Amino acid sequence: MSILKVLRQIVQDVSTAPDLNAVLQITVGRVQKAMKTEVCSVFLFNQESGRYVLRATKGLNAAAVDEVSLAKDEGIVGLVAKRAEPINLEDASSHPAFHYLDVTGEELFHAFLGVPIMHQRKVLGVLVVQQQERRRFDESEEAFLVTLSAQLAGIIAHAHATGAIQMAGEKGVAKQLRNDLRYDGVAAAGGVVIGEIVVASLPSDLDSVPDKQSDDVALELEQLEQALIAVRKEIGLVAENLAGRLSKDERALFDVYLRMLDDNGLPMEMRAKIQQGSWAQGALREVILEHVRAFSAMDDPYLSERATDIKDLGKRILQHLQEDNNGRNLEYPENAVLLADELTPAMLGLVPEGKLSGLISITGSGNSHAAILARSMGIPTVMGVVDLPYRRLNGAAVIVDGYSGRIYINPSIELVQAFSRIVVDEKVVEDELRVLRDLPAITKDGYRLPLWVNTGLAADVPRSLEQGAEGIGLYRTEIPFMIRDSFPSEQEQLESYRTQLQAFAPMPVTMRTLDIGGDKALPYFPIKEENPSLGWRGIRVTLDHPEIFMVQVRAMLRASEGLNNLRIMLPMVTSVSEVDEALRQIDRACEELREEGYHINKPPVGVMIEVPAAVYQTRRFARLVDFISVGSNDLTQYLLAVDRNNPRVAGLYASYHPAVLKALDFIVHEAHKERKHVSICGEIAADPGGALLLMAMGYDVLSVNANNLPKIKFAIRSVSFARARQLLLSVRSLHDAEEIHQELRQSLKAFGLTRLTRPLMPDQKTPSC
């Protein structure tokens, strides 16, 4: 078999493995066999000990696994990690860096090839092959191992996140983690919160079940027993219903399932885990995944296939446990910090109102829609914390630093005190800015700039009005769709839209038509695509489904009856034909409603400029519609070819990239040639420095999240339009996003707006940008 076929087979095998231990065992066994070497081993870096630990081996002493470790700069393994490049030696024992590990039995081996396992520029571990013969491994063997290590890296990084990477002997509960553990992610929503973690597990997903200690063993045992009874009954009913259609051998499978659920089978092991202090769901996860791992590693195809049966049983039991748990009143701390593997907008509603103080997500970036909603709600948020062992953290104390994108687990008293001072300072600034509520955003030399808000939730309305918003520049109509299990009816949509329109009347309310696809999925209307950012989303979906579009437009028009403050906005347009078709359907909806007796005035209709194709058609669009709005978040994503939901490239997402600023400048001038009103509703407008640049460019309205509105208003009122123009001219001469960022920071300081910038964090020498 060719090396490529072997590689594909290994990748396929590890992709179906139940957990990290199975992945590593499969890897070392398959590599040792494929390369015909005596030894294959994996060393992984343990953050808590700061050492490289032997996690799996085929050929060395098996007793050394999880017992043997090397310091960062120790041995050839340490040298591979330090250099972050392969090391290929004919005789490892003669190398100056060689460090003999007596319990491994490696004194027999001479040839050595080690390659780093790297993820996002970090060395996670080292993959090693060894042979008794004195020889250098050839180029094809080295290439094979490098390729395989790259495949392993993503799996190991995820294992870090789920907590599956903990070493032997670790209990896996939050209280046993050392103090002040710092993890870096992506800053998603500014602010600081000191709270307690609540891990959100996904329905029927064993891998996402967190570790949790239980004080009521009897209750957990009772819940397990009820779930087992329910699953046994389900299997019995299925077997009975299918009895006439299955052969004797096929019917026997159900007997196997029931034997697994016998009191002396899997349930006995689960009960033992509960007796040791685990909650029922955690005990189920440990037992099921342990058996799945054991069966998956078997060479016999029939036995290895039983791993699927066991995992299926585990999911069935978990479903009943979760249903039972949902029936009880879950207790949330007053300062709950919701932690999820993948944070979604719908999850924000999991925590009772008033108790959600912070958000952490293993995946995602600062520009995902969950993060945007978090900003609108004023909830400090950190995304993309890929190394966080989240399953182990339920109930852990945490500091969420939404400015720098850092979190601190089990923070020390000193760290809590330092961040508490920042929280107090933020509250003082917030209180001082409250007096601006009823004052206009007008510069020192008399230039007035209206400030609108972005909304999506009903709770956004009172918050926005309290902050002195003059209208809604973006109402995300997809939010009511995302928190349901079916498409809302016309009447249900009407009620949601009327709330927004009525609360702001006579001020304008700009409603974006349904913008799903990309990172905004509807559970009842899934869109599976390899590249969703460039796929079926926004106007493309609604024009392909006029029945959805027409119901929504009718609901908007009916909701605006008698108020006449509605504006309709079309997302993700790329061509004139899309705009023409949407306008035809809106006209048709108006005619239908008038025929039905409604007093409808056709509202202003605008388009969003979010993709490069639309940038260069701005003037043409402006001739067709009533207004132009810029969605700078998506526009930045597409101009820079940076997926805003991908933490791997989050550092490349730069709102102040010169190309982005040039595009924003071009759009507003093109639209003004046709005397059309131009607004912007992206996150750049919610930053004081960005707001001043946009004002200087000539944007007619800035639409921001409600929590940032007072800061933007204060910044505008603190400068003259002339000084803002000077700042824009200075920025235009710069050629790097970081240079522009620093120029803005220095300018804000010169304008006396330092307190609007991000504060100096306790572990930083310079302010976070």
Side-chain angles (χ1 to χ4, degrees):
M1 186 182 292
S2 70
I3 289 293
L4 182 58
K5 286 184 178 178
V6 171
L7 178 62
R8 286 175 177 165
Q9 185 61 52
I10 294 174
V11 171
Q12 182 178 334
D13 290 344
V14 301
S15 67
T16 58
D19 59 21
L20 180 68
N21 289 331
V23 166
L24 299 182
Q25 288 298 332
I26 290 170
T27 299
V28 295
R30 300 286 197 276
V31 171
Q32 186 241 20
K33 184 177 179 180
M35 294 183 66
K36 298 181 174 61
T37 66
E38 281 86 10
V39 175
C40 179
S41 307
V42 175
F43 290 80
L44 294 186
F45 185 67
N46 182 333
Q47 280 192 320
E48 295 185 32
S49 68
R51 298 175 68 85
Y52 288 93
V53 180
L54 179 65
R55 290 301 314 277
T57 186
K58 186 76 172 177
L60 296 182
N61 182 4
V65 172
D66 286 327
E67 298 297 325
V68 165
S69 65
L70 293 161
K72 278 186 176 183
D73 56 353
E74 192 173 22
I76 305 174
V77 166
L79 189 61
V80 171
K82 182 180 179 180
R83 291 182 178 177
E85 61 184 31
I87 292 181
N88 191 347
L89 301 173
E90 183 176 336
D91 184 11
S93 61
S94 63
H95 192 279
F98 179 75
H99 180 82
Y100 175 60
L101 300 169
D102 56 356
V103 298
T104 63
E106 67 174 344
E107 68 273 9
L108 300 173
F109 307 105
H110 298 282
F112 176 99
L113 172 60
V115 301
I117 303 170
M118 300 194 68
H119 181 74
Q120 295 185 6
R121 305 184 187 182
K122 292 181 181 178
V123 178
L124 303 181
V126 177
L127 179 60
V128 174
V129 290
Q130 294 171 272
Q131 205 163 352
Q132 291 187 35
E133 180 187 355
R134 285 181 170 84
R135 75 174 183 95
R136 284 180 62 85
F137 289 92
D138 64 36
E139 290 181 1
S140 65
E141 291 172 313
E142 186 172 320
F144 170 75
L145 212 60
V146 168
T147 306
L148 185 60
S149 75
Q151 298 284 341
L152 268 178
I155 298 170
I156 293 170
H158 182 69
H160 270 294
T162 61
I165 204 164
Q166 62 195 51
M167 304 301 165
E170 291 183 348
K171 301 292 184 184
V173 294
K175 290 176 182 173
Q176 292 172 318
L177 295 171
R178 71 172 187 260
N179 289 344
D180 288 350
L181 277 174
R182 190 185 102 179
Y183 294 88
D184 292 331
V186 177
V192 169
V193 65
I194 302 167
E196 182 180 327
I197 288 176
V198 176
V199 178
S201 56
L202 300 174
S204 303
D205 182 4
L206 283 165
D207 292 315
S208 74
V209 171
D211 288 331
K212 189 187 293 185
Q213 296 293 93
S214 172
D215 297 326
D216 193 337
V217 172
L219 178 61
E220 299 299 330
L221 288 171
E222 174 62 21
Q223 285 189 331
L224 176 63
E225 190 57 40
Q226 292 303 315
L228 291 170
I229 291 171
V231 172
R232 289 184 191 119
K233 185 177 179 180
E234 281 178 6
I235 293 172
L237 287 172
V238 172
E240 185 179 328
N241 292 336
L242 296 177
R245 286 176 276 172
L246 299 177
S247 68
K248 182 179 178 181
D249 289 341
E250 289 168 333
R251 289 198 302 271
L253 176 62
F254 294 100
D255 294 331
V256 172
Y257 271 40
L258 290 172
R259 281 198 296 274
M260 289 180 185
L261 295 178
D262 185 85
D263 281 342
N264 293 323
L266 297 174
M268 183 172 68
E269 297 178 45
M270 296 173 198
R271 293 188 189 102
K273 299 282 186 186
I274 293 174
Q275 295 284 1
Q276 293 168 11
S278 176
W279 70 319
Q281 293 184 36
L284 170 71
R285 186 203 75 216
E286 284 193 50
V287 171
I288 293 295
L289 294 185
E290 191 175 308
H291 280 270
V292 168
R293 179 169 63 249
F295 276 93
S296 295
M298 295 179 180
D299 292 328
D300 186 289
Y302 175 82
L303 291 175
S304 64
E305 192 62 32
R306 298 287 69 77
T308 303
D309 298 333
I310 293 171
K311 196 156 191 178
D312 177 62
L313 276 178
K315 288 181 177 179
R316 289 172 179 266
I317 299 168
L318 179 60
Q319 184 177 5
H320 286 281
L321 283 174
Q322 289 178 329
E323 287 174 358
D324 188 36
N325 214 288
N326 289 337
R328 293 154 55 197
N329 292 323
L330 296 178
E331 293 293 328
Y332 285 91
E334 291 300 321
N335 54 347
V337 174
L338 194 66
L339 168 58
D341 185 13
E342 182 179 2
L343 192 65
T344 65
M347 282 184 179
L348 304 189
L350 288 175
V351 184
E353 189 173 350
K355 292 193 173 183
L356 183 59
S357 61
L359 295 165
I360 305 170
S361 183
I362 305 303
T363 57
S365 79
N367 291 286
S368 68
H369 283 86
I372 291 170
L373 283 178
R375 284 195 285 277
S376 75
M377 297 169 69
I379 301 172
T381 302
V382 176
M383 310 281 284
V385 197
V386 294
D387 293 332
L388 190 67
Y390 74 92
R391 281 199 318 219
R392 306 165 60 190
L393 298 179
N394 202 75
V398 65
I399 293 173
V400 178
D401 173 7
Y403 292 115
S404 63
R406 291 174 181 160
I407 66 169
Y408 302 84
I409 304 297
N410 287 344
S412 62
I413 294 174
E414 293 78 14
L415 204 57
V416 169
Q417 289 174 341
F419 275 98
S420 294
R421 287 192 290 271
I422 292 172
V423 173
V424 171
D425 291 343
E426 286 186 325
K427 187 69 170 63
V428 170
V429 172
E430 182 182 325
D431 290 341
E432 289 178 358
L433 295 181
R434 193 169 286 126
V435 300
L436 301 178
R437 169 185 166 172
D438 299 321
L439 298 176
I442 186 167
T443 63
K444 288 184 173 182
D445 51 0
Y447 183 87
R448 194 180 190 289
L449 182 64
L451 296 182
W452 295 358
V453 286
N454 305 327
T455 66
L457 302 168
D460 291 334
V461 172
R463 187 184 304 114
S464 299
L465 292 171
E466 285 170 10
Q467 302 287 31
E470 302 171 73
I472 294 178
L474 168 63
Y475 171 54
R476 301 181 178 94
T477 62
E478 62 274 5
I479 303 302
F481 284 74
M482 295 171 76
I483 58 179
R484 298 173 53 87
D485 54 12
S486 64
F487 280 109
S489 67
E490 183 176 318
Q491 183 61 33
E492 288 169 328
Q493 290 184 57
L494 182 154
E495 291 168 4
S496 294
Y497 304 155
R498 185 76 178 183
T499 299
Q500 304 274 331
L501 291 161
Q502 206 161 32
F504 272 82
M507 295 182 288
V509 173
T510 311
M511 295 192 170
R512 180 173 66 189
T513 58
L514 187 62
D515 187 16
I516 57 172
D519 68 326
K520 293 171 289 185
L522 301 182
Y524 49 88
F525 190 70
I527 300 173
K528 303 288 186 183
E529 295 179 308
E530 288 187 10
N531 195 340
S533 293
L534 300 182
W536 199 46
R537 55 173 301 196
I539 196 71
R540 300 168 182 177
V541 176
T542 49
L543 288 184
D544 284 350
H545 283 274
E547 77 282 9
I548 296 173
F549 186 72
M550 284 295 288
V551 168
Q552 182 175 42
V553 171
R554 282 175 56 92
M556 289 178 179
L557 294 171
R558 287 176 59 196
S560 70
E561 188 179 22
L563 298 174
N564 298 319
N565 60 335
L566 169 68
R567 301 182 348 142
I568 295 178
M569 187 160 65
L570 307 173
M572 288 295 295
V573 297
T574 57
S575 68
V576 168
S577 61
E578 291 172 334
V579 178
D580 284 337
E581 177 59 26
L583 290 173
R584 275 194 295 271
Q585 294 198 34
I586 292 171
D587 287 337
R588 182 181 141 210
C590 289
E591 290 171 11
E592 285 180 2
L593 290 171
R594 286 172 189 145
E595 289 172 2
E596 294 171 23
Y598 294 98
H599 299 287
I600 300 297
N601 296 321
K602 183 182 176 182
V605 179
V607 297
M608 294 191 76
I609 306 296
E610 301 175 273
V611 297
V615 171
Y616 298 106
Q617 297 181 87
T618 298
R619 192 169 183 184
R620 185 172 295 175
F621 288 145
R623 292 171 185 151
L624 296 174
V625 296
D626 302 296
F627 65 91
I628 298 291
S629 180
V630 180
S632 67
N633 299 332
D634 269 324
L635 182 58
T636 301
Q637 168 179 250
Y638 292 124
L639 282 172
L640 302 183
V642 174
D643 181 356
R644 67 186 194 174
N645 296 303
N646 186 345
R648 291 186 179 183
V649 293
L652 301 177
Y653 184 96
S655 297
Y656 296 114
H657 192 287
V660 174
L661 296 181
K662 281 186 177 181
L664 295 177
D665 214 350
F666 177 81
I667 292 165
V668 71
H669 285 95
E670 287 291 287
H672 281 170
K673 289 175 183 176
E674 297 298 323
R675 302 181 182 279
K676 292 298 168 67
H677 179 278
V678 190
S679 62
I680 184 166
C681 54
E683 293 301 312
I684 188 173
D687 179 73
L692 296 181
L693 289 180
L694 295 169
M695 178 178 71
M697 287 179 190
Y699 278 85
D700 300 297
V701 168
L702 305 185
S703 189
V704 303
N705 65 71
N707 292 285
N708 278 45
L709 192 148
K711 290 184 178 181
I712 303 306
K713 185 180 288 187
F714 183 79
I716 291 169
R717 290 177 59 86
S718 300
V719 301
S720 66
F721 185 79
R723 291 195 74 179
R725 284 290 299 175
Q726 289 174 356
L727 173 61
L728 177 61
L729 292 173
S730 298
V731 163
R732 281 175 176 163
S733 67
L734 301 176
H735 306 290
D736 179 78
E738 185 56 33
E739 286 181 346
I740 293 171
H741 210 160
Q742 292 305 319
E743 174 68 19
L744 290 175
R745 175 172 286 280
Q746 293 302 317
S747 296
L748 290 177
K749 184 177 180 181
F751 297 157
L753 299 174
T754 304
R755 61 180 182 162
L756 299 186
T757 61
R758 298 173 184 177
L760 182 67
M761 294 301 158
D763 61 348
Q764 290 180 311
K765 294 180 180 178
T766 57
S768 175
C769 295

